[in-house]
Amino acid sequence: MTPSPTKELMSAQTLSRRPREEFAEKGVIIREVDDGVRCEQCKSECPGFAAHDWRKTCQSCKCPREAHAIYQQQTTNVHERLGFKLVSPADSGVEPRDLGYTWVPPGVRVSSRVNRYFDQLPEEKVPRLGSEGARVREQQISYQLPKQDLSLEHCKHLEVQHEASFEDFVTARNEIALDIAYIKDAPYDEHCAHCDNEIAAGELIVAAPKFVESVMWHPKCFTCSTCNELLVDLTYCVHDDKVYCERHYAEMLKPRCTGCDELIFSGEYTKAMDKDWHSGHFCCWQCDESLTGQRYVIRDDHPYCIKCYENVFANTCEECNKIIGIDSKDLSYKDKHWHEACFLCFKCNLNLVDKQFGAKADKIYCGNCYDAQFASRCDGCGEVFRAGTKKMEYKTRQWHENCFCCCVCKMAIGTKSFIPREQEIYCAGCYEEKFATRCIKCNKVITSGGVTYKNEPWHRECFTCTHCNITLAGQRFTSRDEKPYCAECFGELFAKRCTSCVKPITGIGGTRFISFEERHWHHDCFVCASCKASLVGRGFITDGPDILCPDCAKQKLM
C-alpha cells in the first residue's frame, strides 16, 4: 500500500526548521559505474564486475553488486541522485575537494567546522580523498540510496501496469519522509535522540528538518535504525519518529525482491526462505530455472534445484560410483561416502550400517573379517584387538585398555603416568616402592636433592654431624669410625691440641703442624718463647715447657 501523504506532509511542513529540499525539473541524475570494477569480497578471484541479466550479482564471482568497488562517474552529489534542486554556489558552503574530502556537510562555509564534524566520526568513515572512508561512502551511496528506488528509469522489472504505483510511492516518500539533515551548534542542553546521552549547549549536532528543534543527534549517532550505518551524506527518511536510510524505509512499506533488489508493486509475488521474490525471480542459484512450485535445497543461503544441487554438491558412492542424491542417506567415513545399501564389508558383503567396522587400505570390513585378516594381538592377554576396541600403545607394544596395568598391583594405568623397566610396566607408586633410591639414614625415598657419602645415598637434611646434628651438605667435614663429623666437633672430640695455643689441630684443608716428644704445635705457633721468631726449619732448645731459639737459649745461660 502507498501511504497517504496528506496528514504527515502537513506535520513535516509544520515541524521543519529549514526549507524542505525542492525537486529539480530534470529529475534524478545517477552516474554509477560498475562494469568491470574489482570485487572487494573475493579480491583476485573475480576478473571484474559483469552484471547478471536480472540478479543483483556478478556473473563472474556471484558476489553481490554492492561488494564491488562501484564508483561515481563524476563527483558524487546526493542532491542530483535524489532529484533535488542544486543549491546555489553562494549557499553551498566550501568545496569538499579544496579541504581534501569527497563530501562535506551542506551549507558549511568554515573549514574548522568541517574538521570539527569529521573529528566525531570513526576514522574509517571519514571520506578523505583516496581513503578507505571515501570508498565506503561510495558503497553506502549505492546501498542506502539504491538507484532503482529513486527513478523509474532504473527499474528493469516493474510491470507497466504498476508504474503509476511506483511514481505515487516516490512522490509520497519524497514529500513525507525523504530529506537531507544539516549540522549546527546545539541551542541549549538536550539529549541525543539515538543514544540518549547529554548534548551540551554549543556542541556540534545533526538536525533534521522533518523533526522539531529539540530533536538532535551526535554526528556519530545519526544512523539508520535498521542497519545502524551512518546515514550517508546526512540523507534520511523518517518513519514513526525514527530515521532510516532510504533502502530500509522502503522495505518497511514494500517487499523487496531478493533476486533483483527492486521493490515489488505487484500483489502477487513469491515468499520463500523468509524472503520476498518476484514470481519469476525465485530461481536456482546455479541454472536460473524457476523454483516456484518445485522442490529445492538451500546451500549457503542460496536455493538450488535438485539437479544442480546433486551435480555440484552431492558425493559419489565409493561402492557403485553413482551420485548419492538428496533422497538417499549419505554415510561417510573419513573422505569417503556410500549409499546406505552400499555400505558393505569388502570380504563378506555384510551391511555395516550401525555396526562396528574396521578399515584397511581404503576398504571397510566387518569386525570378524577384519580380525581374521588384520587384527594384532594384545601383549598382555594374547587375544586379538577386535574392530572398535580401544587400544593402548607404547613403542612397539600394544594392550587392551584393561590389560595395560601395573605388573605389581595390577591396577589399570589408562592415561596415567607409568614407568617401563625391561619388559614390565609399573605404576609410579609401585616403581618407587620397588626401585627408587632410599636414604641410608631414614630409609625413605629420595625424590630430589640427595647426596652420596661412601657410595651410600642420603637426604640432604639427613646427612648431619654425628655429634651436633648440623647439616653437612655443602660443608667441610671429616669422619671417624665411618661416621661424619663437622670440623668443629671433630676437632673438639678427636684432634691433637697445640702446646702453645691449646686449640685443636684438625688437619682439615691441609693444615701443617710440628710434633716433638709427644708435644704438638700449629705451624704458626711453633715460635721462640722469648723472641717469638718462627722455629720452623731451624734448630731449637727445650726449656721446660718452652722452646727457645739458640740465640735466646745462649743469652739465658749467660
Side-chain angles (χ1 to χ4, degrees):
M1 292 178 62
T2 303
S4 173
T6 307
K7 185 175 180 181
E8 293 187 43
L9 178 57
M10 289 174 61
S11 175
Q13 290 172 334
T14 302
L15 302 180
S16 188
R17 291 293 181 272
R18 184 171 65 86
R20 186 164 37 83
E21 300 285 357
E22 297 181 6
F23 292 92
E25 294 179 2
K26 59 183 178 181
V28 173
I29 301 175
I30 296 174
R31 302 187 179 94
E32 279 185 1
V33 177
D34 56 17
D35 191 36
V37 298
R38 72 182 182 279
C39 179
E40 300 287 355
Q41 192 163 300
C42 62
K43 305 294 183 182
S44 59
E45 295 178 15
C46 176
F49 184 77
H52 187 274
D53 290 341
W54 52 267
R55 290 188 199 276
K56 58 169 182 179
T57 58
C58 173
Q59 280 190 341
S60 302
C61 65
K62 291 197 171 186
C63 291
R65 178 178 181 271
E66 59 266 22
H68 293 72
I70 300 167
Y71 64 96
Q72 313 299 316
Q73 199 167 27
Q74 299 178 11
T75 302
T76 306
N77 189 303
V78 169
H79 284 76
E80 290 184 345
R81 189 179 184 91
L82 300 177
F84 288 169
K85 280 186 177 180
L86 292 174
V87 293
S88 66
D91 297 328
S92 61
V94 296
E95 167 58 39
R97 290 182 176 273
D98 291 344
L99 298 180
Y101 300 103
T102 59
W103 170 84
V104 296
V108 180
R109 295 183 176 83
V110 183
S111 61
S112 59
R113 285 179 67 80
V114 172
N115 294 330
R116 186 176 158 203
Y117 169 76
F118 284 130
D119 285 344
Q120 298 188 49
L121 302 186
E123 179 61 30
E124 67 275 10
K125 300 292 179 69
V126 178
R128 291 188 176 85
L129 288 172
S131 70
E132 174 68 12
R135 187 192 67 78
V136 169
R137 174 176 172 263
E138 295 277 358
Q139 282 190 326
Q140 288 301 314
I141 287 174
S142 298
Y143 179 74
Q144 292 187 24
L145 306 173
K147 59 185 180 180
Q148 65 272 18
D149 286 15
L150 305 177
S151 171
L152 185 60
E153 176 187 351
H154 297 285
C155 294
K156 298 181 180 179
H157 307 287
L158 181 66
E159 299 90 339
V160 175
Q161 64 269 30
H162 299 302
E163 289 182 359
S165 296
F166 175 84
E167 295 288 9
D168 289 343
F169 171 81
V170 170
T171 301
R173 176 202 62 203
N174 293 349
E175 290 292 325
I176 298 168
L178 181 63
D179 209 341
I180 297 176
Y182 60 99
I183 63 171
K184 69 174 187 177
D185 292 330
Y188 42 75
D189 292 348
E190 190 49 81
H191 287 82
C192 175
H194 175 77
C195 69
D196 202 37
N197 289 334
E198 186 175 347
I199 295 176
E203 188 175 339
L204 193 68
I205 54 96
V206 174
K210 292 190 180 295
F211 289 84
V212 294
E213 186 180 36
S214 62
V215 179
M216 55 187 77
W217 294 261
H218 294 111
K220 66 180 181 181
C221 292
F222 195 57
T223 58
C224 171
S225 296
T226 297
C227 63
N228 293 319
E229 288 289 342
L230 283 175
L231 289 164
V232 66
D233 291 8
L234 300 180
T235 305
Y236 71 96
C237 287
V238 59
H239 183 75
D240 290 339
D241 295 327
K242 292 183 179 179
V243 290
Y244 299 88
C245 64
E246 193 287 328
R247 169 181 289 275
H248 292 115
Y249 167 82
E251 289 175 5
M252 287 190 292
L253 304 178
K254 294 289 181 183
R256 186 183 297 279
C257 177
T258 305
C260 69
D261 204 35
E262 292 186 19
L263 297 174
I264 302 172
F265 288 86
S266 171
E268 293 184 6
Y269 61 94
T270 300
K271 200 164 189 68
M273 301 167 55
D274 292 326
K275 300 175 182 178
D276 301 317
W277 314 71
H278 283 113
S279 295
H281 287 174
F282 183 55
C283 300
C284 173
W285 183 250
Q286 185 74 12
C287 69
D288 287 344
E289 286 295 320
S290 175
L291 296 177
T292 302
Q294 306 296 319
R295 295 171 68 207
Y296 62 91
V297 182
I298 300 173
R299 175 78 177 243
D300 299 329
D301 205 32
H302 298 303
Y304 292 84
C305 66
I306 303 303
K307 181 178 179 182
C308 287
Y309 181 85
E310 292 184 346
N311 287 339
V312 176
F313 301 110
N315 298 302
T316 302
C317 177
E318 286 291 318
E319 181 67 22
C320 67
N321 209 33
K322 294 179 180 179
I323 291 291
I324 304 174
I326 64 166
D327 295 319
S328 301
K329 192 171 182 180
D330 185 338
L331 301 179
S332 64
Y333 173 70
K334 293 187 176 178
D335 294 328
K336 301 183 181 301
H337 300 264
W338 293 265
H339 289 104
E340 189 172 16
C342 297
F343 194 56
L344 309 173
C345 172
F346 179 72
K347 188 75 173 177
C348 69
N349 284 331
L350 176 70
N351 191 289
L352 301 178
V353 176
D354 296 328
K355 295 182 176 67
Q356 288 186 337
F357 66 92
K360 189 80 170 180
D362 293 334
K363 304 296 182 185
I364 54 174
Y365 299 84
C366 65
N368 291 333
C369 291
Y370 184 89
D371 290 345
Q373 288 194 250
F374 310 112
S376 51
R377 295 184 177 272
C378 173
D379 282 306
C381 66
E383 296 294 325
V384 299
F385 292 99
R386 303 200 175 276
T389 303
K390 192 171 182 180
K391 182 191 296 185
M392 312 297 288
E393 295 183 339
Y394 174 71
K395 292 187 176 179
T396 59
R397 305 175 69 194
Q398 50 197 358
W399 297 263
H400 291 108
E401 186 175 19
N402 292 333
C403 296
F404 186 56
C405 57
C406 173
C407 65
V408 176
C409 66
K410 305 304 180 184
M411 291 291 292
I413 291 173
T415 57
K416 293 182 293 209
S417 60
F418 66 93
I419 299 117
R421 186 179 177 97
E422 297 176 350
Q423 293 299 309
E424 302 291 352
I425 298 295
Y426 297 84
C427 66
C430 290
Y431 183 87
E432 188 175 278
E433 186 68 29
K434 188 168 184 176
F435 300 108
T437 303
R438 293 181 179 274
C439 175
I440 196 68
K441 183 175 181 179
C442 68
N443 201 37
K444 293 180 180 179
V445 172
I446 300 174
T447 56
S448 63
V451 296
T452 300
Y453 174 63
K454 291 188 178 296
N455 294 323
E456 292 180 328
W458 305 66
H459 288 112
R460 290 178 64 88
E461 58 272 19
C462 291
F463 187 56
T464 59
C465 172
T466 305
H467 183 67
C468 69
N469 284 327
I470 189 172
T471 181
L472 299 178
Q475 306 296 322
R476 294 196 309 166
F477 69 93
T478 187
S479 64
R480 176 83 173 217
D481 299 330
E482 302 298 321
K483 296 178 181 179
Y485 293 86
C486 65
E488 188 174 341
C489 289
F490 183 84
E492 291 294 333
L493 296 174
F494 307 112
K496 297 177 175 63
R497 292 187 177 271
C498 177
T499 301
S500 178
C501 68
V502 196
K503 292 181 179 179
I505 301 173
T506 61
I508 294 175
T511 301
R512 292 184 295 172
F513 64 96
I514 292 90
S515 294
F516 177 72
E517 294 180 351
E518 296 188 1
R519 287 192 291 170
H520 311 281
W521 294 265
H522 288 110
H523 185 275
D524 294 337
C525 294
F526 191 57
V527 296
C528 174
S530 180
C531 68
K532 304 302 180 184
S534 176
L535 298 178
V536 176
R538 295 174 57 188
F540 62 91
I541 298 168
T542 61
D543 182 22
D546 298 327
I547 55 173
L548 301 171
C549 63
D551 291 339
C552 290
K554 184 187 294 185
Q555 191 173 14
K556 188 174 182 180
L557 289 174
M558 291 175 65

